[in-house]
Amino acid sequence: MMEQTIELIFQWGGAAFGIAGAGLLSSNVRLSPYGWLLFLVSSVQLCIYAVLIQAWGLLALNACFVCTNFNGIWRCLMPYLRARKNGCTDGTPEAAR
């Protein structure tokens, strides 16, 4: 029973964070770059879930998603955070130049 509960937490947690990340990124608002962090949490949770249920294809897919999420964090979130640190009020790197 406890094992089923843990599996459900990772399964539905991964789904919820993935949906929230997709919604945030697709909304194209000031905080959209944070969607990559939500995607990362989702992918890690789904990797754990895949290991628990021994779904190796799902694990491979989400391991690749972890890599693409780090790429999104590096290419989108980090420039956003640097621009904010440099005093840009809207967070876009172009406005900070």
Side-chain angles (χ1 to χ4, degrees):
M1 185 66 147
M2 177 70 133
E3 187 176 313
Q4 265 186 329
T5 303
I6 292 171
E7 288 174 3
L8 284 173
I9 289 170
F10 284 114
Q11 178 185 13
W12 288 104
F17 277 101
I19 292 166
L24 190 54
L25 275 177
S26 68
S27 65
N28 198 25
V29 296
R30 184 175 56 90
L31 297 176
S32 288
Y34 287 102
W36 290 108
L37 291 176
L38 296 176
F39 272 147
L40 179 62
V41 171
S42 169
S43 296
V44 168
Q45 285 191 347
L46 290 173
C47 282
I48 295 168
Y49 173 67
V51 169
L52 291 173
I53 66 166
Q54 298 180 352
W56 309 121
L58 182 63
L59 176 61
L61 174 66
N62 279 285
C64 290
F65 284 164
V66 167
C67 295
T68 60
N69 293 332
F70 277 121
N71 185 49
I73 289 168
W74 182 255
R75 294 180 50 85
C76 297
L77 182 60
M78 296 308 292
Y80 169 81
L81 293 175
R82 281 192 293 274
R84 298 283 295 173
K85 182 180 177 185
N86 291 332
C88 177
T89 56
D90 67 357
T92 58
E94 294 80 20
R97 293 180 188 160

